């Protein structure tokens, strides 16, 4: 990695979720070898302002420049954001423009004819352009020549299928670049929020409280468990929080909602099990974090999620099946098995997905096509 490249990462908004935090970790790791500028096309949401502040500070400490736009789907805000992004690109003169998620891709597609740089997309999901077929088709057509990096073959198949719906062939170049996590967890003792309940099975959910992430599936499952047998800890925020809180009031189990928390990963080790009931993922980053923190992961058999786990992982349930999840949890309550073998299997699996390896993979990818 002798060559110092100028790399521009474009994300949605800081603090929004795993896609953005993963890109920040990648940017900070790349800054040891390259010149990095990260642009968030939207300001952070108020509910994530604390997390966003921590992440922006981490960028600056690592030597990563950060700029922020105020993206809008409609004119005039859309055109203003496009002009601002083009101005940033002309000033920074990147060798590589690296795009993350759909809104950054759409905004960049508007200015792509005036940009002379290698364009790389990291595909972080298995569902594409769910709310706007027109914008999706425009962006996919504009980015057909981009180097398209995927975490798993699931997303290759899903993107190719969506492009076919738009009347477009597969991207010119599809590559697998696995997702990654930091080997060691950043710690702030003030952010340890889990109130562990002795004598109960302590389950944790960490992520956005949205339909995609499946917290409703988890709540439905624990309705079927004996009273006061488990404690459930939600770390995260999102549009379904109030509905979930209302639902939880009628469930005879201790259920805690801590909101969005900086350094959320450090809370994983306080749990007996981490539950990941997502309906779909780009790649199960939180699943890897659970494994590296030596906490058993209970996960849905969902697109983009199961590839993050070892083959034949025993703590799986069918996607959206609260009944199967309840049955699995009941077995864990009844048997109280020693999970040391599963913990070690998960830990060894997670070591294959370090940030250092991802930096090297992306650098080789950039250099191959420059």
């Amino acid at each position: 990695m002798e060559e110092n490249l100028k790399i521009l990462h474009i994300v949605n908004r800081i603090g929004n979720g795993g896609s953005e935090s993963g890109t920040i970790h990648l940017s900070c790791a790349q800054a040891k070898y390259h010149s990095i500028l990260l642009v968030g096309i939207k300001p952070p949401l108020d509910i994530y302002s604390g997390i966003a502040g921590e992440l922006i500070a981490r960028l600056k400490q690592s030597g990563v420049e950060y700029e922020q736009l105020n993206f809008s789907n409609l004119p005039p805000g859309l055109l203003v954001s496009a002009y601002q992004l083009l101005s940033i690109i002309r000033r920074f003169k990147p060798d590589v423009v690296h795009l993350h998620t759909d809104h950054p891709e759409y905004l960049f597609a508007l200015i792509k004819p005036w940009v002379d740089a290698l364009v790389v997309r990291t595909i972080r999901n298995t569902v594409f352009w769910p709310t706007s077929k027109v914008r999706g088709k425009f962006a996919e057509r504009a980015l057909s020549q981009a180097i398209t990096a995927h975490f798993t073959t699931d997303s290759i198949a899903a993107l190719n299928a969506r492009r076919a719906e738009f009347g477009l062939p597969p991207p010119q170049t599809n590559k697998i670049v696995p997702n990654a996590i930091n080997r060691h967890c950043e710690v702030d003792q003030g952010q340890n929020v889990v109130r562990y309940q002795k004598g109960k099975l302590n389950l944790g959910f960490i992520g956005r409280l949205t339909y995609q992430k499946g917290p409703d599936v988890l709540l439905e499952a624990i309705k079927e468990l004996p009273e006061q047998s488990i404690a459930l800890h939600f770390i995260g925020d999102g549009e379904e929080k109030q509905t979930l809180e209302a639902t939880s009031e009628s469930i005879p189990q201790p259920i805690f909602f801590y909101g969005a928390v900086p350094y959320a990963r450090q809370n994983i080790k306080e749990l007996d099990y981490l539950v990941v009931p997502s309906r779909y993922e780009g790649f199960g980053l939180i699943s890897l974090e659970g494994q590296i923190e030596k906490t058993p992961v209970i996960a849905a058999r969902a697109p983009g999620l199961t590839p993050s786990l070892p083959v034949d992982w025993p703590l799986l349930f069918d996607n959206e099946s609260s009944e199967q999840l309840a049955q699995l949890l009941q077995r864990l309550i009844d048997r109280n098995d020693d999970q040391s073998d599963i913990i070690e299997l998960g830990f060894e699996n997670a070591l294959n997905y370090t940030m250092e390896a991802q930096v090297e993979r992306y650098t080789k990818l950039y250099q191959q096509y420059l």
Side-chain angles (χ1 to χ4, degrees), residues 263-337:
Y263 305 100
R265 173 176 157 185
Q266 72 181 22
N267 289 276
I268 294 175
K269 62 175 67 71
E270 306 297 325
L271 304 166
D272 295 321
Y273 291 88
L274 178 68
V275 185
V276 189
S278 301
R279 289 175 164 89
Y280 59 89
E281 288 285 352
F283 193 85
L285 190 64
I286 189 63
S287 163
L288 287 178
E289 290 180 337
Q291 293 170 69
I292 204 79
E293 295 298 331
K294 296 190 173 183
T295 298
V297 176
I298 299 170
R301 292 185 179 91
L305 178 54
T306 48
S308 69
L309 292 156
V311 176
D312 298 326
W313 187 249
L315 301 177
L316 294 174
F317 62 95
D318 285 350
N319 199 358
E320 297 191 283
S321 177
S322 59
E323 181 181 357
Q324 279 195 17
L325 176 55
Q327 292 169 354
L328 173 56
L329 293 174
Q330 186 65 62
R331 288 199 302 272
L332 296 174
I333 292 168
D334 292 341
R335 290 163 51 179
N336 193 26
D337 292 342

Side-chain angles (χ1 to χ4, degrees), residues 117-361:
L118 177 69
V119 180
V120 176
R121 309 167 67 189
T122 288
I123 304 301
R124 296 179 174 272
N125 222 321
T126 49
V127 174
F128 306 98
W129 311 104
T131 60
S132 178
K133 184 173 181 179
V134 173
R135 285 198 298 271
K137 184 173 183 178
F138 171 80
E140 289 296 336
R141 180 184 290 114
L143 297 173
S144 292
Q145 304 291 318
I147 308 304
T148 307
H150 301 259
F151 294 149
T152 70
T153 55
D154 286 349
S155 70
I156 293 179
L159 180 62
N160 289 348
R162 187 60 164 150
R163 286 176 61 90
E165 292 174 9
F166 295 153
L168 299 171
Q172 182 171 298
T173 306
N174 278 317
K175 295 287 186 179
I176 295 289
V177 180
N179 206 352
I181 54 172
N182 286 328
R183 172 67 178 81
H184 300 287
C185 178
E186 295 171 285
V187 173
D188 178 351
Q189 295 300 333
Q191 301 298 335
N192 273 336
V193 297
V194 170
R195 287 177 273 175
Y196 189 88
Q197 304 294 297
K198 292 183 179 179
K200 295 179 173 61
L201 195 70
N202 283 256
L203 309 174
F205 173 102
I206 299 179
R208 288 179 288 116
L209 300 180
T210 63
Y211 176 81
Q212 176 196 342
K213 301 297 182 179
D216 57 309
V217 176
L218 178 53
L219 277 186
E220 286 298 315
I222 68 168
K223 288 179 181 179
E224 307 304 317
L225 302 179
E227 293 186 14
Q228 301 299 317
S229 58
I230 65 97
L232 179 55
H233 307 268
F234 283 103
I235 300 177
D237 216 324
E239 62 261 26
E240 292 196 2
K241 183 180 180 183
Q242 289 186 338
T243 301
L244 295 167
E245 287 177 326
T247 301
S248 70
E249 291 177 1
S250 62
I251 301 175
Q253 311 281 4
I255 301 174
F256 303 93
F257 290 86
Y258 303 109
V261 176
Y263 305 100
R265 173 176 157 185
Q266 72 181 22
N267 289 276
I268 294 175
K269 62 175 67 71
E270 306 297 325
L271 304 166
D272 295 321
Y273 291 88
L274 178 68
V275 185
V276 189
S278 301
R279 289 175 164 89
Y280 59 89
E281 288 285 352
F283 193 85
L285 190 64
I286 189 63
S287 163
L288 287 178
E289 290 180 337
Q291 293 170 69
I292 204 79
E293 295 298 331
K294 296 190 173 183
T295 298
V297 176
I298 299 170
R301 292 185 179 91
L305 178 54
T306 48
S308 69
L309 292 156
V311 176
D312 298 326
W313 187 249
L315 301 177
L316 294 174
F317 62 95
D318 285 350
N319 199 358
E320 297 191 283
S321 177
S322 59
E323 181 181 357
Q324 279 195 17
L325 176 55
Q327 292 169 354
L328 173 56
L329 293 174
Q330 186 65 62
R331 288 199 302 272
L332 296 174
I333 292 168
D334 292 341
R335 290 163 51 179
N336 193 26
D337 292 342
D338 177 9
Q339 302 290 9
S340 55
D341 289 345
I342 290 176
I343 288 170
E344 189 60 30
L345 179 64
F347 180 74
E348 292 297 325
N349 176 65
L351 291 178
N352 295 315
Y353 299 95
T354 63
M355 192 58 66
E356 293 76 13
Q358 191 181 59
V359 169
E360 185 172 355
R361 290 183 183 112

